[in-house]
Amino acid sequence: MGTENPGHPSFPVRPLPAPFAAVPPTGTPFSSSDPLVGHEASSFRPTPPTPPQATGPFVSSGPTVASDGSGFKATAPPRFNDQSVSFTPTTYIPSTGGPFYRFPTSQFPSTTQGPPARAPGPPQVQPFASQVSSPPVSFHQQPSSVPMGSPPQRANFAPPTVNAPQSLSDSSFSGPRPSLQPSFTPVDSSYSSARTTLQPPLPGYVNTQSNAVSQVPTMPSSFPSYPGSYVPPPPTITSSFPAHQGGLAPPMSTATPPGMISQHPGLPGGIMQGLAEEFRSLSFGSIPGSIEPGVDLKALPRPLEGDVEPNSFAEMYPLNCHSRYLRLTTTTIPNSSSLVSRWHLPLGAVVCPLAEAPSGEEVPIVNFASTGIIRCRRCRTYVNPYVTFTDAGRKWRCNICSLLNDVPSDYFAHLDATGRRIDLDQRPELTKGSVEFVAPTEYMVRPPMPPLYFFLIDVSISAIRSGMLEVVAETIKSCLDDLPGFPRTQIGFITYDSTIHFYNMKSSLTQPQMMVVSDLDDIFVPLPDDLLVNLSESRSVVGAFLDSLPSMFQDNVNVESAFGPALKAAFMVMNRLGGKLLIFQNTLPSLGVGRLRLRGDDVRVYGTDKEHALRIPEDPFYKQMAADLTKFHIAVNVYAFSDKYTDIASLGTLAKYTGGQVYYYPNFQSSLHGAKLMHELSRDLTRETAWEAVMRIRCGKGIRFTSYHGNFMLRSTDLLALPAVDCDKAYAMQLSLEETLLSTQTVYFQVALLYTASSGERRIRVHTLAAPVVADLSEMYRQADTGAIVSLVSRLAIEKTLSHKLEDARNALQQRIVKALKEYRNLHAVQHRLGARMIYPESLKYLTLYGLALCKSTPLRGGYADAPLDERCAAGYTMMALPVKSLLKLLYPSLIRVDDFLLKRSGDVKEFLDNIKRLPLAAESLDSRGLYIYDDGFRFVLWFGRMLPPDVAMNLLGQDFAAELSKVTLTERDNEMSRKLSKILEGLRRTDLSYYQLCHLVRQGEQPREGFFLLANLVEDQIGVSSGYVDWILQIHRQVQQNP
C-alpha cells in the first residue's frame, strides 16, 4: 500500500515507514526497568509536551497554499488521454512555508522520578521475553515467575530456542526511518500530459521540488523505559531520558543537555527551524479566476498495491498469530473510555479463522492425548506463548485473567537457568501464535458428523432453458471423487417445481428411484433412511442420476416454484446429521409456505422511511427456517439465477444466519456464464470445510466484544454458531472498554474455533495475539490498520441500509471519516500552521478513497435506478462475508494496461504479473491506443481503445475484431499474443480462487455497454450525482475545517 510502484508516473510515491523502526544500539523497547507500583503508577499526569527538533518520519506531499475556499465544484475529469494535445501550466502558487514539515510525538515528562539513564556500554544481560504478564492490579513481578514468550521488552532479543540474548548492537528491528520526500516522475504514455476536452487543467498544483529538512548527525542514545512504553524511531541527536507508559518517546533537541527536558513546549531547544511533521498532507491551490480550491490529482493517495498485511508488530510481538487470521483496527488499545470516545473510527477486529496459511507455513497440530488440553480453570483460555511458568515449572499463570493454574504432571517440564521450559522447542503451543488442538471426547456433544452435501434444485422451465440444470449436474458429477471426507461423505438430492421430487439412491439399486410429493401443505418424507446415502457405496447410482437429470426434465414447462415446502423437506431429511445444503433457485417462490410477491416496483418508496423494508425479508418464514437449520448444524449456500426479480433479500437470509454464502448470476445463460458457475460450485464442493463449528474470542480484563457482524447465528452473548466454515469467510466484531481505566500494559486476544474436520476428528483452532495499551491518541492513529477499519465499517454501513435509507448510511460513513480526521487535525493544530492543508496519518492515507469507493459500491450507491434490488442485496450478503484482501480489491479494483507487453516479441508472463503497474481508477488513465484489464476479483473487463492497433485486436479476436463486442467471446487463439493474454488472465485468477472472473469485452465508445461495465466503476470519476475523488476530498476537508 505504501510501497513504491516503479514506473507509475501520476502521483508521488513513497515507501511506507515501518511503524516501529530500528532503535539505537542501546535502545530497549519494553525494557525491564523497575515497574511503577500503586498510586504513582495509576495517577500519572503529564506535563506540557516538549516538541524536540529531531526530524520526523513523514513529510507533506506539497507546499502549503493559504487558500481556504469554501465550495469546490470540480469539472468532469477528461475521459481519455489524447497524446496530440498538450498544455502549459498558466500559474504557479508559491508556498507560504517550507513544503516539508515534520512533527514528533510529544514527550510527556514524568511527575515522578524515573529510573536513571543507562550509560552507553556493554549490554545488560537479560533473558528473552522477560516482561511478566502483569496482574490487573499489581505491577510487582513474582520472584520465581518467568514468562514463556510474553511481549519482548528489548529491541534485541534472542530467538525462542536461544537462552542468551543477542548483543544490543545487533538490532532485530528494521533500519532507521529515512527522510522521505515525494518526487514526481515524468509522465509516460499511459498518462498523457494533456488534459483534454472535458476539464481544463488545474494550474494550482503543488510544487514538485523537494526541500529537505536540515538534519543533525545521528548520535547514540539510550532510552530506559517503563514496561508498556514505546521506543521511537532512531533519533538524530543525543538524548537520554525516561519514557512513559503509553507514549512514544521522541528524541531531545540538540540544545537540551542529556538527561534534561526543555521547559518551553513551543521552542524545541531554541534552534530556529520549523517544527517537524509526522503526518501526511494535501495542499490546495486556487484555480485562476476562481476562489475555489483545487488539488493535484497526481498527489492524491491511491492503494495501487492492494491490501498490504500489517507487520508493524511482527518484530515487537513475534509470537502473535499472523495478521491474515486476526487483525485489529488499531494495534494499540486505548487505556481509557475517554480515549475511546475520541477515536471515532470503529475499535474492533476482523477474524478469518481458517484463512490459508502463509506460504511455507502450516498451522501445527497438537495432540495432548491423555493429558487433556491445558486451559485456565477460570476463564478457559487455552495455553499459548504468552502464559508464564513459575514455581520451578509446577504452575502457570494465565495471560488473560492472571490466575495461577497447576501444571498437570504429564505436562510438567523443568525450567532452565533463564526460566524457560527445557522442552520449549518441542511445544508449538508455547512458541506459535496459531495452533490446532485435537479435541478429546469431552468436547463432543455427539459423535463427529460425516461431511454431508444435500442439493435442492429448481427444475422449472426457466432453469431448463437457461442451461443451469445441465451445468449444475455436470459440475457435481465432476467433483464427486474430490468431495472432502472420503469414505464417510454423505449425499442426497431433491428437485422441485410445483411438486417435490425425492430420490432413493440406495447402493443396492442400479438406477435411482424418484418419488413425487404433491401435497405442499403437509410435507412428509418418503423412505427417510434411503434419501441420504454414503457416496463411496452408492457412487454408481449417484453418477447415473446426474447423467440423466437434465434429460429427465428437458420437456418440463412448469413455471411454478414450491421452494418453501421443498426447503422444509430438505430440513427433515438433513436434521439428523447436519451438513451443507446447496440451493439452486431460478424463479420467485410462488407456491406453499414461504411464497413471495413481486415488490420494489414502486419508485415512490425510494428515498422514504419505507425504503429499507425492501432490503429485508418480507416473510418471517425464512429467518425462522434459518434458525432451525443452524440449530441442527446445517449451513445453506444459495445459488440464484434469474432475469427477473427473485427476492434475494429473503432467500439470502438463509445463508446469512447459517454461515453460508450467496452466489448471484443475473440473466444466467450457460453459454456465457457456465464457466463461472462451474468453477465457483467446484470450489464450494471441494475446499476444506470445518463442520458443526462454534467460535468464541476471549480478551483480557477490562475489555469485551459487544457486537458481531457477518454471516452466522449468535448462540449466546459471545458464542458464534457456524454450521460450516472455510477459508473464504471472515467475521468482524466491535470492542468496548468495561472499565474507565485499564491497569494493564498489554491486552491479549484469543480466537478459539471448535469444529469437526472432514476426516471426522474434532479439533480446536486457536489464534493468540498481544497488543499494547497506550494513553496517546496519536499512537492509536499511527498504528491504525486501514484494511481492518474498512472491513468493519463496510459491514456496519451495509447493516445500516437494512433499517435506514441508503443516503443515511452514506452520510453516516462520511461523518465517521470527518470526525476521525478532525480529531487528528486537532492533535496537531496547536503546534502547526495547517492553513488550508488537509492532514492525515500515514496509516490512514487511503481511508478517504476507500470511503468514497464504499459509498459507490453496489449495496450503498445511488437509489432506485442505480442498481437492481436483487443485485444490491446479493452484493451486500457477499461483502458481509469477504476477507479483508478480497473486500479491498472489490472496492478499489485493479486497472492494468497490457497492450505494450503483448506487442513485445519476448516477455515473461510471470515477470509481468510480479511487476504489474496498476493505474488509478479514472477515465484519464485510459489511452485510446491501449488495451486494459479491469479486475475486481469477480469479473474481468477487457477495454479496447478506439485507436488500438488493428493487428492486436485481430490476433485476440480473430475475424470478429470489428464486430460488436457484446456478441464476441474471448478464446485462446493460435498466436503468441493470444496465448500471452490467456496466461495473464489465468495468472490473475490464481491470485484468489474464491470467485471466478468472467471476461467481458468492451470497446471505447460502445454505449451503454462501456458505461455499465467500466465507466460507472471508475470510482475516482464523478458518476451522475455521486462525487469524484477530488470533490470528495474537498467536501471532507471543508467539514473537517468547520467548527463543531
Side-chain angles (χ1 to χ4, degrees):
M1 286 165 63
T3 57
E4 184 174 355
N5 187 14
H8 194 283
S10 63
F11 60 94
V13 247
R14 40 186 294 162
L16 180 64
F20 291 89
V23 297
T26 55
T28 58
F30 296 91
S31 64
S32 182
S33 55
D34 297 335
L36 292 176
V37 182
H39 176 73
E40 290 182 346
S42 61
S43 60
F44 163 65
R45 294 292 183 271
T47 57
T50 304
Q53 181 51 38
T55 301
F58 304 122
V59 294
S60 69
S61 59
T64 306
V65 179
S67 170
D68 195 6
S70 57
F72 175 70
K73 299 296 181 185
T75 53
R79 175 65 59 90
F80 308 107
N81 284 347
D82 187 346
Q83 302 286 349
S84 62
V85 182
S86 62
F87 73 93
T88 304
T90 57
T91 185
Y92 169 74
I93 305 294
S95 121
T96 58
F100 302 104
Y101 296 88
R102 295 169 182 261
F103 179 71
T105 303
S106 300
Q107 166 65 22
F108 295 91
S110 172
T111 56
T112 61
Q113 176 101 18
R118 189 186 319 149
Q124 297 181 4
V125 177
Q126 188 175 31
F128 167 69
S130 59
Q131 177 186 359
V132 176
S133 176
S134 305
V137 179
S138 172
F139 290 98
H140 281 296
Q141 178 176 342
Q142 298 219 358
S144 58
S145 175
V146 179
M148 290 292 99
S150 55
Q153 295 177 324
R154 306 179 67 87
N156 313 96
F157 44 79
T161 58
V162 180
N163 290 335
Q166 296 177 356
S167 167
L168 290 179
S169 62
D170 178 19
S171 175
S172 61
F173 285 79
S174 60
R177 297 187 185 180
S179 174
L180 303 176
Q181 292 147 6
S183 61
F184 299 137
T185 55
V187 180
D188 67 9
S189 60
S190 65
Y191 288 89
S192 171
S193 59
R195 297 183 175 268
T196 60
T197 60
L198 299 183
Q199 178 183 342
L202 296 175
Y205 290 169
V206 292
N207 183 12
T208 61
Q209 298 297 323
S210 298
N211 297 327
V213 179
S214 60
Q215 300 182 7
V216 292
T218 302
M219 298 178 65
S221 170
S222 177
F223 293 81
S225 57
Y226 294 140
S229 68
Y230 285 93
V231 168
T236 56
I237 33 66
T238 302
S239 171
S240 177
F241 54 90
H244 288 277
Q245 171 183 339
L248 180 60
M252 294 288 292
S253 80
T254 54
T256 306
M260 302 288 289
I261 298 177
S262 170
Q263 299 302 312
H264 304 281
L267 298 173
I271 296 181
M272 300 305 294
Q273 290 182 345
L275 282 175
E277 294 176 352
E278 67 172 6
F279 49 75
R280 294 281 296 268
S281 69
L282 284 173
S283 298
F284 299 93
S286 297
I287 301 175
S290 171
I291 62 171
E292 295 181 342
V295 63
D296 183 6
L297 289 172
K298 298 182 180 68
L300 298 175
R302 297 174 172 92
L304 299 181
E305 297 300 322
D307 176 42
V308 178
E309 294 173 349
N311 292 314
S312 58
F313 281 88
E315 294 177 336
M316 191 67 69
Y317 292 93
L319 303 179
N320 275 357
C321 64
H322 197 279
S323 58
R324 64 179 58 191
Y325 301 118
L326 173 60
R327 290 173 70 162
L328 301 177
T329 55
T330 174
T331 48
T332 52
I333 305 300
N335 75 334
S336 64
S337 300
S338 61
L339 202 57
V340 174
S341 65
R342 296 172 60 197
W343 170 259
H344 297 284
L345 298 170
L347 183 65
V350 180
V351 178
C352 190
L354 291 180
E356 294 179 349
S359 178
E361 298 182 21
E362 289 186 4
V363 176
I365 299 174
V366 178
N367 191 347
F368 284 114
S370 59
T371 306
I373 297 178
I374 311 299
R375 302 180 68 180
C376 175
R377 67 177 186 270
R378 179 163 64 191
C379 69
R380 308 303 292 159
T381 294
Y382 295 87
V383 66
N384 62 79
Y386 294 112
V387 303
T388 58
F389 287 80
T390 185
D391 193 13
R394 289 187 289 270
K395 294 185 180 295
W396 64 275
R397 186 177 297 280
C398 175
N399 56 305
I400 287 187
C401 74
S402 300
L403 181 70
L404 208 58
N405 296 270
D406 293 327
V407 175
S409 57
D410 292 344
Y411 194 66
F412 172 79
H414 291 286
L415 307 183
D416 62 17
T418 63
R420 294 152 49 93
R421 285 176 61 112
I422 59 175
D423 65 344
L424 194 62
D425 296 338
Q426 288 78 46
R427 293 292 184 185
E429 71 274 12
L430 299 178
T431 58
K432 301 287 186 181
S434 296
V435 70
E436 200 157 89
F437 297 114
V438 177
T441 54
E442 56 261 32
Y443 288 81
M444 305 177 192
V445 178
R446 60 176 184 172
M449 59 165 281
L452 190 155
Y453 294 87
F454 199 88
F455 301 90
L456 189 61
I457 305 173
D458 181 358
V459 292
S460 61
I461 186 172
S462 59
I464 309 302
R465 288 182 176 176
S466 68
M468 179 272 284
L469 185 61
E470 185 177 357
V471 175
V472 167
E474 181 183 339
T475 304
I476 295 173
K477 183 181 179 184
S478 69
C479 294
L480 288 179
D481 296 329
D482 298 319
L483 294 181
F486 178 86
R488 304 169 63 247
T489 310
Q490 303 275 312
I491 196 169
F493 296 86
I494 287 179
T495 59
Y496 61 96
D497 43 27
S498 60
T499 56
I500 302 172
H501 322 125
F502 298 86
Y503 298 91
N504 176 9
M505 287 181 281
K506 196 163 58 171
S507 58
S508 59
L509 300 173
T510 56
Q511 291 289 327
Q513 292 179 349
M514 176 172 149
M515 294 156 284
V516 179
V517 173
S518 56
D519 185 355
L520 304 181
D521 296 327
D522 186 16
I523 289 294
F524 68 96
V525 177
L527 300 175
D529 296 333
D530 297 327
L531 300 180
L532 281 177
V533 295
N534 183 289
L535 178 59
S536 61
E537 297 174 358
S538 302
R539 175 68 175 78
S540 60
V541 183
V542 173
F545 166 73
L546 292 170
D547 284 336
S548 62
L549 183 59
S551 58
M552 196 184 305
F553 294 98
Q554 64 183 1
D555 299 324
N556 190 9
V557 294
N558 199 320
V559 297
E560 303 293 348
S561 172
F563 172 71
L567 179 64
K568 291 186 69 175
F571 171 70
M572 295 167 69
V573 174
M574 297 179 69
N575 61 14
R576 184 172 58 87
L577 289 177
K580 183 182 287 187
L581 174 61
L582 292 89
I583 296 171
F584 301 87
Q585 174 69 14
N586 214 280
T587 55
L588 188 71
S590 58
L591 295 177
V593 64
R595 60 179 170 270
L596 299 170
R597 63 183 179 88
L598 190 65
R599 54 181 181 149
D601 282 346
D602 188 357
V603 296
R604 294 173 297 179
V605 174
Y606 290 86
T608 70
D609 293 335
K610 297 180 180 179
E611 171 191 332
H612 71 272
L614 300 175
R615 296 186 286 273
I616 58 177
E618 182 182 34
D619 191 334
F621 164 78
Y622 289 95
K623 189 168 182 180
Q624 183 57 51
M625 278 302 303
D628 294 340
L629 290 162
T630 302
K631 182 179 179 180
F632 289 92
H633 308 289
I634 300 171
V636 176
N637 284 357
V638 177
Y639 291 78
F641 317 80
S642 183
D643 55 352
K644 298 176 183 177
Y645 177 71
T646 52
D647 201 347
I648 301 295
S650 296
L651 299 180
T653 304
L654 297 170
K656 175 179 174 62
Y657 292 107
T658 62
Q661 282 178 266
V662 175
Y663 298 87
Y664 182 51
Y665 306 86
N667 304 308
F668 179 84
Q669 293 295 325
S670 60
S671 58
L672 299 176
H673 311 108
K676 181 175 177 66
L677 172 59
M678 184 176 296
H679 282 79
E680 292 176 355
L681 178 55
S682 296
R683 178 168 176 83
D684 188 11
L685 293 175
T686 59
R687 66 188 168 193
E688 188 55 48
T689 301
W691 307 90
E692 50 182 350
V694 290
M695 184 173 76
R696 173 177 279 126
I697 179 166
R698 295 176 173 86
C699 46
K701 182 181 179 183
I703 60 174
R704 67 185 180 92
F705 287 100
T706 54
S707 64
Y708 300 85
H709 312 276
N711 292 355
F712 56 83
M713 180 73 78
L714 200 60
R715 185 173 293 181
S716 63
T717 56
D718 63 345
L719 188 67
L720 278 61
L722 305 168
V725 192
D726 53 67
C727 60
D728 298 329
K729 295 184 177 65
Y731 312 92
M733 47 212 71
Q734 290 196 89
L735 189 68
S736 68
L737 267 65
E738 290 183 308
E739 299 178 356
T740 306
L741 190 68
L742 295 182
S743 57
T744 57
Q745 288 118 28
T746 306
V747 170
Y748 301 93
F749 300 88
Q750 189 175 84
V751 177
L753 179 77
L754 173 64
Y755 71 96
T756 299
S758 295
S759 62
E761 201 169 45
R762 197 75 170 148
R763 291 184 180 177
I764 307 163
R765 177 165 288 204
V766 176
H767 303 294
T768 307
L769 179 142
V773 176
V774 298
D776 184 7
L777 183 62
S778 62
E779 191 62 35
M780 292 181 63
Y781 277 106
R782 190 175 299 112
Q783 301 303 329
D785 180 350
T786 299
I789 289 172
V790 172
S791 186
L792 183 48
V793 164
S794 65
R795 286 164 166 82
L796 296 174
I798 292 169
E799 288 180 350
K800 193 173 182 68
T801 65
L802 306 181
S803 56
H804 295 78
K805 296 183 290 186
L806 293 174
E807 184 181 4
D808 293 342
R810 294 193 296 267
N811 290 340
L813 170 63
Q814 183 175 355
Q815 286 306 307
R816 189 185 283 269
I817 295 174
V818 168
K819 288 179 180 179
L821 294 181
K822 180 179 289 189
E823 190 70 45
Y824 185 77
R825 185 182 181 89
N826 291 340
L827 290 176
H828 303 287
V830 175
Q831 294 173 310
H832 295 272
R833 294 174 301 192
L834 301 178
R837 288 187 300 158
M838 175 179 178
I839 70 167
Y840 47 89
E842 172 75 16
S843 60
L844 297 178
K845 60 186 176 182
Y846 304 132
L847 180 63
T848 51
L849 180 53
Y850 278 128
L852 173 64
L854 186 54
C855 287
K856 291 186 174 185
S857 65
T858 304
L860 271 74
R861 72 182 178 204
Y864 169 76
D866 293 283
L869 185 56
D870 274 349
E871 186 177 339
R872 193 185 295 277
C873 293
Y877 284 126
T878 298
M879 290 172 63
M880 289 292 288
L882 284 181
V884 176
K885 186 174 183 179
S886 300
L887 178 62
L888 296 188
K889 186 175 182 180
L890 176 62
L891 293 177
Y892 197 88
S894 301
L895 183 64
I896 308 162
R897 183 169 185 170
V898 295
D899 58 295
D900 292 338
F901 175 76
L902 296 180
L903 288 169
K904 289 182 182 178
R905 298 207 170 181
S906 62
D908 182 20
V909 173
K910 184 178 184 303
E911 183 180 350
F912 174 80
L913 292 171
D914 291 340
N915 300 281
I916 285 179
K917 297 178 181 178
R918 294 174 173 85
L919 306 176
L921 285 177
E924 69 167 4
S925 297
L926 300 171
D927 186 344
S928 59
R929 295 171 299 180
L931 176 68
Y932 295 81
I933 297 175
Y934 169 92
D935 172 23
D936 64 3
F938 289 78
R939 66 182 176 187
F940 291 139
V941 177
L942 205 57
W943 186 86
F944 291 77
R946 184 186 293 117
M947 299 172 63
L948 180 70
D951 60 323
V952 176
M954 186 173 292
N955 279 322
L956 299 179
L957 304 178
Q959 298 301 318
D960 297 327
F961 77 99
E964 183 182 341
L965 293 187
S966 60
K967 301 177 181 178
V968 178
T969 302
L970 184 69
T971 57
E972 184 175 324
R973 300 181 182 274
D974 189 20
N975 62 73
E976 185 62 24
M977 195 175 294
S978 179
R979 283 190 288 270
K980 286 166 73 173
L981 179 62
S982 296
K983 289 179 181 177
I984 290 173
L985 296 177
E986 191 57 37
L988 292 173
R989 288 186 179 112
R990 281 198 302 269
T991 58
D992 185 0
L993 299 175
S994 308
Y995 294 88
Y996 182 84
Q997 300 101 312
L998 278 180
C999 196
H1000 303 273
L1001 308 182
V1002 170
R1003 181 177 282 115
Q1004 180 182 355
E1006 199 174 84
Q1007 299 298 345
R1009 185 177 176 84
E1010 181 191 26
F1012 174 77
F1013 280 112
L1014 184 64
L1015 300 184
N1017 297 308
L1018 298 178
V1019 298
E1020 294 191 25
D1021 290 343
Q1022 182 173 343
I1023 305 166
V1025 297
S1026 63
S1027 301
Y1029 193 11
V1030 173
D1031 281 340
W1032 174 261
I1033 286 281
L1034 292 170
Q1035 195 176 56
I1036 287 180
H1037 180 53
R1038 282 196 299 269
Q1039 295 183 50
V1040 167
Q1041 286 186 306
Q1042 292 173 356
N1043 293 326

